[in-house]
Every structure is written in structure tokens, then in C-alpha cells.
Amino acid sequence: MMPERMAKIRIIAPKSSMERIVKELYELKALHITEGETGLDAAAPAKNAETTSGLLVTTRALIANLGIRSETRRALKHDTRQAERQIATINKETSENLESLKQTEEKIRAAESIEAELEKLSAIDLPISSYSSYKSLSVFTGTAKNTETLTEELLKATDRFELHTSADRKTIALFIEAPKKATAQDILARHDFTDINITPGLNGTAHENLKRTRQEKEGLIKKAQAIREQLNRIRDKSQDLLLAEEQSLAEELEKAEAPMKFGTTKSTFIATGWVPENKLTKIRHRLERVASEKIHIEQEYPEEDENVPVKLSNTRYARPFEFLINLRGLPLYNETDPTLAVFLTFPIFFGFMLGDIGYGLVTVAASLALKARYKTARSLLTVIALSGATSVIFGFVFGEFFGEEQLWGTELPRLISRTHGTQELLMASIAFGIIHINTGLAIGFLNELRHHGALSAILEKASWVLIQLGGVFILSALGIMDAPATIKYASAASLTAGVTMLAAAELKTDKTGPLKAAVESITIFSNIMSYSRLMAVGISSVQLALIVNEFAKEAFRQGGPYIALGVIILATGHAVNTMLGLLGAFLHSLRLEYVEFFTKFFKGGAEPYKPFGEKS
């Protein structure tokens, strides 16, 4: 399936009709505007652009400052001029309250800082005024360690000091004669002394000031709470208006700035862009009507290598898988859209690896529950839910329920056992790989045939199929496989032909083509063997599930309180294994799509189609 077909249109109309045409294009939501014509001046934005931009900035700032969430948006009809006056009032009230809240919170932080100081000082029963500076005394107030030996060390220097300590001997106040200040500093440094900053202007004891500071802080906290409640009332009263105006202003600004991408002459403007082919007639009819026939619309179709914006076009069921394509990059306009192929294969790979009825059901249930809550992740969660459903299907194929092949003594029916059928699993994984890779080569063949002709398609894509057929010869030569001589010779001829064709294809762009082709020819077999991860990831998940079950069974055998422990082991162990299984299956499936499959036909990197007026 190809991306939706596009056409380039060029709209030429009088400047006098620009505003009406821009408004109509916005409502049509179909034109992907490109930059103005070369050699023409860009049109100026509409006169209201600057005013609208300023109002939009103010409105968005209010939405952010008031903590309004876009999820609360409701349809609201309003008069724009009246809304502007209301927003000005809301902005004034909000700004005043926010400034008051800011000042109050600063005072709270200051009070908390003073409180922390006073809590330490209150451990020493001295008036605050005692800590003031003196001419003949140096004062040290703070915290220290190992204060038991502090007095002895000070006495060695002088007996003209007074040391006060708290009950826990961590807070100290030292008054010492001024000439011994430096000595005291050295002694205190050895005791990890840290100053307490005493706020100036405090009178009375630390206890009295601490009580007063706490009362002031409580008052400030109440004031801050009252301001927040007032802001909440403003939010509740104005959120519908602000959200509606924000949307309206964003639309108006988009319209006002659209002409900046147009080219202009003295009396006309020219708008260029891309539209889906199936909307051409509608666009032409609507624009001719709004411009009173004073309009000229040219249309042309993309050239071979032209940069065309891409819009994917998939069925409702495959559309969620566009999320995985967007992660990798959109296909180029003339490339095959791989969404349908990913829709058909990704859940199979995922389900083959997770492959358990219990884990699959949990995955489906969790995905559907989260999908109802997280709207922005709906596509991803739909992909996981569908992949979980295939895990349930493969769970019946493997006969597993949370790793167990038996339920209450009854053997679950199965086609393959993952604990005993390793060889069958490996063969199935390799078979998936051969089918998947050759599907990619077939798509690549069609792309090459469409753009560069049959010879290029045969040399660049069909050559890989011949190289794969040469695998029989390689396996026989290594002694891994015993094939009849006729088949071996045919396989060798196929390998030689494939490498030769690939070398010829490479030689067109690289003189070292033959050597490069010989080296690259081996990669197809490593690509195929990469699908063995389908088996390996699945088996590791089963083994971890069985270990969890064994630990839980052992706890159940002990009886009594160990039964609760067994339940915890089961719940925790399987929860962790589910998460690991989900992550492993998702990432490895994605790798098989991106690395093994896409590289056979996909370049990607196209610009997404973004029509003027459509919200992202």
C-alpha cells in the first residue's frame, strides 16, 4: 500500500481576497503550505498578528500559573471582545495574588531560617543580646563536636573565657578575651565548629523569640493558604473561558501568520502547497466561491524525486501500527507504506515470544485499562493489546498458563511444547524469518521495478533470493546437511548467480562492488538466523515462570504462614516476568521489523503531511 496520493497546487489571487481565502483554507484543513515562491517577497502577517500573539502569550501564562489542565476543556461560546476584557481582569487578579504569594512564601522561608537558628540557641539559656559584639571580648556561637575536651584545650591558652553548652553538648556559646580570638578559632576548627547566624534586632531569650517566630510563621502559612484558595477560585471560575480563548487565539494567530509563507507581487499573492488528490475538486470549488471567481488555481503532480509530504492511508485496524512506523520515520512518497505488513507480523512475533495464556490475558486487560485512562498513548496500547491477544492464541498452541503445562493435574492440549520441543521452535522461528525477509525483498523488488525498471529490480532484489537458495550448498559444505548431488550443484549455481548479480548491482555505484557483494551475501543468512530470538526469548520467559512456580509450590508445601509467602512469590514473580516478557517481546519484535525487514525495501525520512488548520 502506498501513502495517500498528493498534488501540488498554486493559488494566485488578489491581495484583497487574501483574508477570506486564508479563512477558507483554515476551515478546509487540507493544504500543506510550503514556503513562498522563489524571487517573490513574502507577504506580511495580518494586522492583528501582534495583538493576537500578545493575548495568546498572556492567556497561556494564566493557564500555566493557575494550573489549568487541557483535559478540563469544554465547549464554550463567548464574545471575543468581552473575553479580552475578562482576561485582562483575570490577569490583574492573578498577578496580584501571585506576587502576594511570592512575598509571603519568602517571609515563610525567612521565618523558617530564623526558627532553625533559635531552636539551636534555645538550648542555651542566655538573652539574645548577650551574643552582641564587645570591644574586649570575642563571641563564638554555633555547633561543635567532642565538646567534652573543649574546656581543657581553651584552658591551655587562657583562663579568661566563659563557655556555655547545651544539655546535649552540641551547641556552644564561647566568650573569650579578644586577643585570643585567633587561638580560639583554631581550637574550634579542630572540633568542627559551625557558626549560627544570629538575626539582628532580636530581644529577649531565644525561647521567647522562637515562640514569637513560630506564631508569625503560622500566620504567614495561613495567609499563603488563603491566597492559594483565592487562586483556585479564580481558576475554577475562569478555566473554561481561558481554554476556549486559548484555542480561539491559537487559531487566529495561525491564520494571521499564514501569509508569511506566501509570495506576493504588487497586487496579488501566491500560495503553494500540497493537497490529497481526492480533495482537489472540493478545494477548487470552495476557493472559487469565496474569491468570487477572481482566483487562478494551478495543479501539478509530483516528480520522481520531489520532496512530498506524506500522509499514511490505512484501514482502521492497521492504523494504530502507524505509531511504530512514525518511530522509525515515514516512508518516502514513492515508497511502499509498511504499516499493513507490520500489522500482520508484529503481533505474531510478539505472541510467539510471550506465548502464554495467562500472560497474554494480563497484557490485554492491562492495555485496555490503561487505554481508557491515557488517551495520548492509545495507539501504542492498542498495539500491545492486539499483541497480547496473539500471545493468548500462541498460549494455546504451546499449552501454557503462567508457565505451567498442567492445570489441577490436567495436561493442557498443545501443538508444540516450549520446554521439550526446542528443535520444532527453532524451525518455526527460522521459517518465520524466511517468509518475513522474502516478503521485504518482494516489496523492495516492486519498488525498484516501479522506479528503476526490471533489470535493477532483478539485480538488487531477486539476487538475494538466489543467494538464499545457495544456502543448501553452504550447509552441505559445512556438513550440517546432507543433500543429493544434483541439489547441491543447483544450489551452488544459484549462490554463484546471486552473488554475481549483486556484484553487478553494486558495481553501478561502487568500483569495489564484487568484493562488497561477496561479503554482503553472507548477511542474508545472519538476518534469517536472527529470528531464532523468537525461540530464545520465549524459552527464557518460560524458564523464569517455572522457577517462580517452583518457589511458590515449595512455600505452599510448608503450609501455615508460608502459604501467604507463596502467594506473594506468585504475584510478584509473575508480575516481574510479565513486565520482562512484554519488554523483551516488544523490543525484539521491533528489531525484527526495523533491522531485518525494513532494510530490504525501506528508506524513510519523509516530511509528515500537516494541513493548515489541523490540530496536531
Side-chain angles (χ1 to χ4, degrees):
M1 184 178 290
M2 303 294 289
E4 190 161 331
R5 297 297 85 188
M6 293 282 176
K8 181 188 281 187
I9 65 169
R10 185 177 289 106
I11 302 165
I12 306 170
K15 285 183 177 179
S16 58
S17 63
M18 185 189 294
E19 186 176 343
R20 297 194 304 275
I21 289 174
V22 167
K23 183 178 179 182
E24 193 68 22
L25 287 172
Y26 188 90
E27 292 178 0
L28 281 165
K29 295 176 174 51
L31 179 66
H32 177 104
I33 302 174
T34 57
E35 294 298 327
E37 298 282 322
T38 305
L40 296 177
D41 294 330
K47 293 179 180 179
N48 66 331
E50 188 174 348
T51 304
T52 303
S53 177
L55 285 170
L56 181 59
V57 169
T58 300
T59 304
R60 285 176 172 168
L62 283 169
I63 289 170
N65 289 332
L66 292 171
I68 297 172
R69 300 190 307 276
S70 59
E71 293 81 14
T72 61
R73 189 187 302 274
R74 292 185 296 179
L76 179 69
K77 292 182 179 180
H78 65 287
D79 179 82
T80 302
R81 291 185 179 180
Q82 183 181 355
E84 289 177 11
R85 290 193 294 272
Q86 289 175 307
I87 287 172
T89 302
I90 295 166
N91 189 39
K92 184 173 182 294
E93 290 179 11
T94 302
S95 298
E96 289 173 352
N97 278 283
L98 286 173
E99 181 60 30
S100 179
L101 180 61
K102 179 184 175 183
Q103 293 175 2
T104 304
E105 288 177 338
E106 286 176 356
K107 290 178 181 178
I108 291 171
R109 286 192 291 272
E112 288 173 342
S113 178
I114 295 171
E115 183 182 16
E117 296 170 8
L118 293 171
E119 282 177 345
K120 295 173 183 176
L121 290 174
S122 63
I124 301 173
D125 191 20
L126 288 174
I128 297 293
S129 57
S130 302
Y131 304 110
S132 302
S133 59
Y134 301 91
K135 288 184 179 180
S136 58
L137 289 176
S138 291
V139 183
F140 297 91
T141 311
T143 59
K145 295 179 180 178
N146 304 319
T147 55
E148 294 83 358
T149 62
L150 185 57
T151 302
E152 295 176 12
E153 292 186 42
L154 289 168
L155 282 170
K156 291 177 182 178
T158 180
D159 60 356
R160 296 174 63 82
F161 71 88
E162 189 175 322
L163 180 64
H164 298 266
T165 61
S166 60
D168 60 6
R169 303 189 67 80
K170 291 181 180 179
T171 305
I172 67 166
L174 173 63
F175 301 84
I176 191 166
E177 59 180 339
K180 295 295 182 180
K181 180 179 180 180
T183 303
Q185 285 176 333
D186 291 339
I187 294 171
L188 290 172
R190 292 198 293 271
H191 291 265
D192 296 329
F193 177 77
T194 304
D195 272 318
I196 295 175
N197 297 316
I198 301 173
T199 303
L202 298 178
N203 296 308
T205 65
H207 283 290
E208 293 168 347
N209 281 281
L210 182 60
K211 182 179 179 181
R212 184 166 58 250
T213 300
R214 283 174 173 168
Q215 289 173 344
E216 290 173 358
K217 189 180 80 168
E218 288 174 7
L220 289 168
I221 290 172
K222 289 179 181 178
K223 181 180 178 181
Q225 184 59 34
I227 296 170
R228 292 190 187 95
E229 289 173 359
Q230 176 62 20
L231 287 168
N232 288 341
R233 285 192 289 271
I234 295 172
R235 179 198 64 203
D236 295 340
K237 181 178 66 175
S238 62
Q239 65 181 7
D240 290 343
L241 172 68
L242 290 172
L243 288 171
E245 188 66 5
E246 189 266 343
Q247 182 174 332
S248 175
L249 288 167
E251 291 174 1
E252 287 303 314
L253 184 62
E254 190 177 359
K255 293 179 202 174
E257 292 181 343
M260 296 171 70
K261 292 185 176 181
F262 300 167
T264 60
T265 64
K266 187 174 181 180
S267 58
T268 64
F269 76 92
I270 302 174
T272 308
W274 296 93
V275 297
E277 283 184 16
N278 58 12
K279 293 185 178 181
L280 276 171
T281 303
K282 179 181 179 181
I283 290 169
R284 183 182 293 277
H285 173 72
R286 292 268 295 266
L287 293 181
E288 286 176 348
R289 185 186 64 186
V290 78
S292 303
E293 304 291 333
K294 296 178 181 179
I295 189 172
H296 175 67
I297 301 175
E298 300 175 357
Q299 74 180 58
E300 56 187 65
Y301 294 99
E303 297 178 3
E304 179 65 30
D305 297 321
E306 192 165 4
N307 182 24
V308 184
V310 165
K311 179 185 180 184
L312 301 182
S313 179
N314 290 290
T315 63
R316 180 166 63 92
Y317 300 104
R319 202 168 296 138
F321 288 79
E322 290 178 1
F323 173 83
L324 301 180
I325 307 303
N326 288 323
L327 283 179
R328 173 65 173 75
L330 290 172
L332 298 175
Y333 179 70
N334 288 317
E335 276 190 317
T336 300
D337 173 11
T339 304
L340 181 60
V342 174
F343 164 63
L344 295 173
T345 57
F346 183 91
I348 293 175
F349 297 150
F350 187 105
F352 192 90
M353 283 185 272
L354 193 59
D356 185 285
I357 300 168
Y359 290 147
L361 290 173
V362 169
T363 300
V364 172
S367 301
L368 294 178
L370 291 171
K371 184 180 173 183
R373 183 172 180 180
Y374 299 104
K375 295 180 180 179
T376 55
R378 279 187 171 179
S379 293
L380 173 60
L381 291 168
T382 300
V383 169
I384 295 175
L386 289 171
S387 301
T390 60
S391 299
V392 175
I393 294 170
F394 275 102
F396 283 104
V397 172
F398 302 140
E400 288 179 22
F401 187 83
F402 289 111
E404 291 294 327
E405 295 184 342
Q406 291 184 351
L407 279 182
W408 298 287
T410 303
E411 191 81 11
L412 291 171
R414 69 184 55 81
L415 296 177
I416 304 174
S417 169
R418 288 205 290 185
T419 55
H420 304 101
T422 306
Q423 187 172 352
E424 291 88 342
L425 282 174
L426 179 60
M427 295 302 293
S429 299
I430 299 303
F432 277 137
I434 292 171
I435 294 169
H436 197 223
I437 284 174
N438 283 284
T439 301
L441 289 171
I443 296 172
F445 182 91
L446 293 175
N447 282 341
E448 284 296 317
L449 183 65
R450 188 184 304 120
H451 303 304
H452 302 111
L455 180 60
S456 179
I458 292 169
L459 291 177
E460 292 194 18
K461 301 301 174 182
S463 57
W464 289 105
V465 177
L466 294 176
I467 290 170
Q468 288 176 76
L469 293 174
V472 175
F473 170 75
I474 294 173
L475 291 173
S476 297
L478 294 173
I480 298 172
M481 181 178 182
D482 186 20
T486 306
I487 294 177
K488 277 196 277 190
Y489 293 142
S491 178
S494 177
L495 178 62
T496 304
V499 173
T500 303
M501 291 164 60
L502 188 60
E506 293 283 356
L507 198 58
K508 291 189 296 182
T509 56
D510 188 349
K511 291 182 179 179
T512 61
L515 178 61
K516 189 176 180 181
V519 174
E520 283 188 349
S521 62
I522 306 300
T523 62
I524 193 72
F525 300 109
S526 65
N527 289 161
I528 292 171
M529 290 308 299
S530 182
Y531 287 79
S532 62
R533 70 186 64 240
L534 295 173
M535 170 201 71
V537 173
I539 290 177
S540 65
S541 179
V542 176
Q543 293 303 319
L544 185 54
L546 291 174
I547 290 170
V548 170
N549 293 340
E550 284 303 313
F551 275 114
K553 287 175 184 176
E554 186 60 33
F556 291 144
R557 290 190 196 103
Q558 300 292 325
Y562 289 98
I563 294 176
L565 177 62
V567 172
I568 293 171
I569 291 172
L570 280 178
T572 306
H574 286 303
V576 170
N577 199 24
T578 301
M579 294 301 297
L580 291 174
L582 279 172
L583 185 63
F586 186 89
L587 292 178
H588 286 290
S589 298
L590 206 59
R591 186 196 185 282
L592 292 175
E593 299 290 358
Y594 288 171
V595 179
E596 320 302 343
F597 183 55
F598 279 23
T599 52
K600 304 302 178 287
F601 66 93
F602 187 85
K603 292 181 181 177
E607 179 185 2
Y609 168 69
K610 293 181 179 178
F612 174 58
E614 184 172 275
K615 298 293 174 289
S616 56

